[in-house]
Amino acid sequence: AQEFYRRRCVEIKHGRVSMLACLGYIVPEYFKFPGYCSMTSGIKFADIGTGLSALLKVPAVGWIQWVFFCGYMELFAAYQDPDLMP
């Protein structure tokens, strides 16, 4: 029963991540934040492409921030209490 509960939680989480990934791919086609992504490098949000072309435009510090944010969400904010339904 515990293994089934874990698999259900993981499936729900993967579904949510997939939906956010689709939004992250579609929304930049129609909307860009005003301002700079990196003031020191002079990179504006409008200069960053969509899809895989954005991987090389965002500075490494931005990716490190994203990894820490996702880790925080995984460990603390999006933690599923085993005593509650997913």
Side-chain angles (χ1 to χ4, degrees):
Q2 193 68 6
E3 183 67 23
F4 178 73
Y5 176 81
R6 182 188 148 303
R7 288 178 189 236
R8 185 185 325 175
C9 290
V10 168
E11 183 176 359
I12 291 171
K13 189 178 288 189
H14 286 163
R16 290 175 181 158
V17 168
S18 297
M19 287 186 279
L20 286 173
C22 286
L23 281 175
Y25 196 80
I26 295 169
V27 169
E29 290 285 336
Y30 303 104
F31 175 78
K32 297 277 187 182
F33 285 112
Y36 287 88
C37 176
S38 174
M39 294 282 289
T40 56
S41 300
I43 301 172
K44 294 183 177 182
F45 285 110
D47 298 337
I48 297 174
T50 58
L52 296 176
S53 66
L55 290 176
L56 299 176
K57 292 277 187 175
V58 177
V61 176
W63 290 115
I64 292 170
Q65 289 174 349
W66 184 245
V67 168
F68 278 112
F69 173 73
C70 291
Y72 172 79
M73 291 299 290
E74 183 74 24
L75 294 174
F76 302 108
Y79 175 74
Q80 177 63 44
D81 188 1
D83 296 332
L84 301 174
M85 289 296 291

